[in-house]
Amino acid sequence: AQSVTQPDIHITVSEGASLELRCNYSYGATPYLFWYVQSPGQGLQLLLKYFSGDTLVQGIKGFEAEFKRSQSSFNLRKPSVHWSDAAEYFCAVGEYGNKLVFGAGTILRVKS
Amino acid sequence: GAVVSQHPSWVICKSGTSVKIECRSLDFQATTMFWYRQFPKQSLMLMATSNEGSKATYEQGVEKDKFLINHASLTLSTLTVTSAHPEDSSFYICSARDNWRETQYFGPGTRLLVL
Protein backbone atom coordinates (compact mmCIF):
# COMPACT_ATOMS: atom_id res chain seq x y z
CA ALA A 1 0.00 0.00 0.00
CA GLN A 2 1.07 3.51 -0.70
CA SER A 3 2.12 5.65 2.21
CA VAL A 4 3.68 9.02 2.78
CA THR A 5 5.72 10.08 5.78
CA GLN A 6 6.41 13.63 6.73
CA PRO A 7 8.61 13.23 9.77
CA ASP A 8 8.43 16.82 10.95
CA ILE A 9 5.11 17.93 12.44
CA HIS A 10 6.31 21.48 13.05
CA ILE A 11 9.22 23.45 11.69
CA THR A 12 10.18 26.99 12.63
CA VAL A 13 12.56 29.02 10.51
CA SER A 14 13.63 32.61 10.52
CA GLU A 15 12.49 34.85 7.72
CA GLY A 16 15.11 34.83 5.00
CA ALA A 17 16.52 31.48 6.04
CA SER A 18 16.44 28.42 3.83
CA LEU A 19 13.83 25.72 4.22
CA GLU A 20 13.66 22.01 3.62
CA LEU A 21 10.56 19.94 4.34
CA ARG A 22 11.04 16.22 4.26
CA CYS A 23 8.83 13.67 2.56
CA ASN A 24 9.37 9.95 2.19
CA TYR A 25 7.04 7.69 0.32
CA SER A 26 6.36 4.02 -0.13
CA TYR A 27 5.08 3.01 -3.52
CA GLY A 28 5.62 0.02 -5.74
CA ALA A 29 5.97 1.73 -9.08
CA THR A 30 7.18 5.09 -10.27
CA PRO A 31 5.20 7.51 -8.17
CA TYR A 32 3.41 10.67 -9.04
CA LEU A 33 4.44 13.08 -6.31
CA PHE A 34 2.91 16.35 -5.23
CA TRP A 35 3.38 19.10 -2.71
CA TYR A 36 0.39 21.14 -1.64
CA VAL A 37 0.14 24.07 0.75
CA GLN A 38 -2.82 24.88 2.96
CA SER A 39 -3.39 28.14 4.76
CA PRO A 40 -5.65 28.05 7.84
CA GLY A 41 -9.26 27.38 6.94
CA GLN A 42 -8.47 27.12 3.24
CA GLY A 43 -8.28 24.45 0.61
CA LEU A 44 -5.06 23.11 -0.83
CA GLN A 45 -2.96 24.85 -3.43
CA LEU A 46 -0.65 22.88 -5.66
CA LEU A 47 2.97 23.96 -5.30
CA LEU A 48 4.61 21.49 -7.66
CA LYS A 49 4.46 17.97 -8.98
CA TYR A 50 6.74 15.28 -10.30
CA PHE A 51 5.72 12.68 -12.84
CA SER A 52 8.90 11.87 -14.71
CA GLY A 53 11.98 13.42 -16.28
CA ASP A 54 14.16 15.95 -14.50
CA THR A 55 14.26 15.00 -10.84
CA LEU A 56 14.50 18.63 -9.71
CA VAL A 57 11.17 20.31 -10.23
CA GLN A 58 10.37 23.96 -9.89
CA GLY A 59 7.09 25.15 -8.48
CA ILE A 60 5.29 28.31 -7.63
CA LYS A 61 6.32 30.84 -5.00
CA GLY A 62 10.00 29.96 -5.37
CA PHE A 63 9.66 26.37 -4.16
CA GLU A 64 11.46 23.42 -5.63
CA ALA A 65 11.59 19.72 -4.85
CA GLU A 66 13.95 16.94 -5.70
CA PHE A 67 12.91 13.37 -6.38
CA LYS A 68 15.45 10.84 -5.14
CA ARG A 69 14.41 7.35 -6.03
CA SER A 70 17.21 5.70 -4.05
CA GLN A 71 16.01 7.41 -0.90
CA SER A 72 12.29 7.31 -1.72
CA SER A 73 12.22 10.98 -0.94
CA PHE A 74 10.69 14.10 -2.42
CA ASN A 75 11.86 16.94 -0.20
CA LEU A 76 10.58 20.47 -0.66
CA ARG A 77 13.00 23.37 -0.53
CA LYS A 78 13.05 27.11 -0.66
CA PRO A 79 16.23 29.19 -0.47
CA SER A 80 14.76 32.15 1.39
CA VAL A 81 11.53 31.92 3.37
CA HIS A 82 9.06 34.76 3.56
CA TRP A 83 6.62 35.36 6.41
CA SER A 84 3.77 34.65 3.99
CA ASP A 85 5.05 31.09 3.59
CA ALA A 86 3.75 30.19 7.04
CA ALA A 87 1.18 27.47 6.42
CA GLU A 88 0.79 23.72 6.47
CA TYR A 89 2.47 21.70 3.76
CA PHE A 90 1.32 18.33 2.56
CA CYS A 91 3.23 15.84 0.48
CA ALA A 92 1.14 13.38 -1.50
CA VAL A 93 1.69 10.38 -3.73
CA GLY A 94 -0.74 9.48 -6.43
CA GLU A 95 -1.31 6.96 -9.10
CA TYR A 96 -1.77 8.61 -12.49
CA GLY A 97 -3.60 11.50 -10.87
CA ASN A 98 -6.12 9.26 -9.25
CA LYS A 99 -6.34 8.70 -5.53
CA LEU A 100 -3.92 10.73 -3.53
CA VAL A 101 -2.41 9.54 -0.30
CA PHE A 102 -1.35 12.41 1.88
CA GLY A 103 1.27 12.71 4.52
CA ALA A 104 0.32 14.03 7.93
CA GLY A 105 1.49 17.51 7.04
CA THR A 106 4.19 19.84 8.31
CA ILE A 107 3.29 23.14 9.88
CA LEU A 108 5.74 25.85 8.98
CA ARG A 109 6.18 28.79 11.29
CA VAL A 110 8.24 31.77 10.21
CA LYS A 111 9.77 34.02 12.82
CA SER A 112 10.83 37.54 12.06
CA GLY B 1 -6.70 28.04 -14.95
CA ALA B 2 -7.67 24.91 -13.00
CA VAL B 3 -10.00 26.56 -10.53
CA VAL B 4 -12.32 24.58 -8.31
CA SER B 5 -15.04 26.19 -6.26
CA GLN B 6 -17.12 24.91 -3.37
CA HIS B 7 -20.38 26.15 -2.03
CA PRO B 8 -21.17 26.94 0.68
CA SER B 9 -17.95 27.81 2.44
CA TRP B 10 -19.60 27.67 5.84
CA VAL B 11 -22.75 25.91 6.98
CA ILE B 12 -24.31 25.56 10.41
CA CYS B 13 -27.26 23.24 10.74
CA LYS B 14 -29.34 21.47 13.31
CA SER B 15 -28.88 17.82 14.07
CA GLY B 16 -31.04 15.64 11.86
CA THR B 17 -31.06 17.91 8.85
CA SER B 18 -29.36 17.26 5.52
CA VAL B 19 -26.72 19.47 4.01
CA LYS B 20 -25.65 19.63 0.38
CA ILE B 21 -22.19 20.80 -0.64
CA GLU B 22 -21.38 21.62 -4.25
CA CYS B 23 -18.03 21.25 -5.94
CA ARG B 24 -17.49 22.82 -9.36
CA SER B 25 -14.58 22.82 -11.76
CA LEU B 26 -14.79 26.28 -13.29
CA ASP B 27 -12.45 26.13 -16.27
CA PHE B 28 -11.98 22.47 -17.05
CA GLN B 29 -14.00 19.32 -17.27
CA ALA B 30 -13.57 16.75 -14.58
CA THR B 31 -14.71 13.20 -15.12
CA THR B 32 -13.43 12.40 -11.67
CA MET B 33 -13.82 14.37 -8.48
CA PHE B 34 -12.85 13.44 -4.96
CA TRP B 35 -14.28 14.22 -1.57
CA TYR B 36 -12.06 14.52 1.46
CA ARG B 37 -12.66 15.14 5.10
CA GLN B 38 -10.22 16.90 7.34
CA PHE B 39 -10.38 16.99 11.12
CA PRO B 40 -8.61 19.75 13.03
CA LYS B 41 -4.85 19.44 12.94
CA GLN B 42 -5.05 16.31 10.81
CA SER B 43 -4.39 15.38 7.23
CA LEU B 44 -6.97 14.84 4.54
CA MET B 45 -8.79 11.55 4.46
CA LEU B 46 -10.32 10.46 1.20
CA MET B 47 -14.01 9.70 1.58
CA ALA B 48 -15.03 8.81 -1.93
CA THR B 49 -14.24 9.06 -5.60
CA SER B 50 -16.97 10.58 -7.72
CA ASN B 51 -17.17 9.61 -11.37
CA GLU B 52 -19.35 11.48 -13.82
CA GLY B 53 -22.35 9.46 -14.79
CA SER B 54 -21.70 6.54 -12.49
CA LYS B 55 -21.87 5.61 -8.86
CA ALA B 56 -19.29 6.92 -6.47
CA THR B 57 -16.66 4.67 -4.99
CA TYR B 58 -16.47 4.95 -1.23
CA GLU B 59 -13.46 4.32 0.95
CA GLN B 60 -13.64 1.70 3.63
CA GLY B 61 -15.54 2.88 6.65
CA VAL B 62 -17.43 5.65 4.88
CA GLU B 63 -21.20 5.18 4.93
CA LYS B 64 -22.53 5.65 1.42
CA ASP B 65 -26.07 6.18 2.66
CA LYS B 66 -24.85 8.87 4.99
CA PHE B 67 -22.73 10.72 2.46
CA LEU B 68 -24.57 10.81 -0.84
CA ILE B 69 -22.53 11.79 -3.86
CA ASN B 70 -23.86 12.81 -7.22
CA HIS B 71 -21.71 13.70 -10.21
CA ALA B 72 -24.26 14.56 -12.83
CA SER B 73 -22.11 16.68 -15.10
CA LEU B 74 -18.47 17.11 -16.03
CA THR B 75 -18.18 20.22 -13.88
CA LEU B 76 -20.31 19.51 -10.84
CA SER B 77 -20.26 17.01 -8.00
CA THR B 78 -22.38 17.25 -4.89
CA LEU B 79 -21.97 15.73 -1.46
CA THR B 80 -25.06 15.49 0.71
CA VAL B 81 -24.60 14.77 4.37
CA THR B 82 -27.89 13.17 5.34
CA SER B 83 -29.36 13.38 8.83
CA ALA B 84 -26.30 15.22 10.03
CA HIS B 85 -25.12 14.75 13.59
CA PRO B 86 -22.54 16.69 15.61
CA GLU B 87 -19.88 14.08 14.86
CA ASP B 88 -20.23 14.96 11.17
CA SER B 89 -18.90 18.42 11.91
CA SER B 90 -15.72 18.75 9.93
CA PHE B 91 -13.97 20.48 7.07
CA TYR B 92 -14.97 18.92 3.75
CA ILE B 93 -12.75 19.49 0.75
CA CYS B 94 -13.34 18.43 -2.81
CA SER B 95 -10.89 18.10 -5.63
CA ALA B 96 -11.33 17.73 -9.35
CA ARG B 97 -9.00 15.83 -11.55
CA ASP B 98 -7.79 17.67 -14.62
CA ASN B 99 -7.11 14.80 -17.00
CA TRP B 100 -4.93 16.89 -19.28
CA ARG B 101 -2.66 17.97 -16.46
CA GLU B 102 -3.01 14.64 -14.63
CA THR B 103 -3.42 16.60 -11.43
CA GLN B 104 -6.04 17.14 -8.76
CA TYR B 105 -7.04 20.71 -8.00
CA PHE B 106 -8.71 21.45 -4.73
CA GLY B 107 -11.64 23.55 -3.74
CA PRO B 108 -11.44 25.99 -0.83
CA GLY B 109 -13.33 23.67 1.49
CA THR B 110 -16.62 23.74 3.35
CA ARG B 111 -16.75 23.93 7.09
CA LEU B 112 -19.76 22.12 8.49
CA LEU B 113 -20.94 22.62 12.04
CA VAL B 114 -23.82 20.48 13.24
CA LEU B 115 -25.47 21.66 16.44
Side-chain angles (χ1 to χ4, degrees), chain A residues 4-13 19-24 35 74-76 87-91 103-109, chain B residues 41 43:
Chain A
V4 178
T5 302
Q6 292 179 247
D8 304 305
I9 298 174
H10 297 98
I11 281 187
T12 301
V13 298
L19 169 70
E20 182 169 34
L21 301 182
R22 295 183 290 166
C23 172
N24 292 94
W35 274 100
F74 188 57
N75 294 347
L76 181 71
E88 188 161 16
Y89 292 79
F90 291 96
C91 180
T106 298
I107 296 173
L108 172 65
R109 298 190 180 113
Chain B
K41 301 184 187 299
S43 187

Side-chain angles (χ1 to χ4, degrees), chain A residues 5 8 23-24 32 34 37 39 46 48 51 57 64 66-67 71 94:
Chain A
T5 302
D8 304 305
C23 172
N24 292 94
Y32 286 57
F34 305 83
V37 61
S39 296
L46 178 68
L48 48 77
F51 290 168
V57 293
E64 66 177 27
E66 186 171 12
F67 170 60
Q71 298 177 20

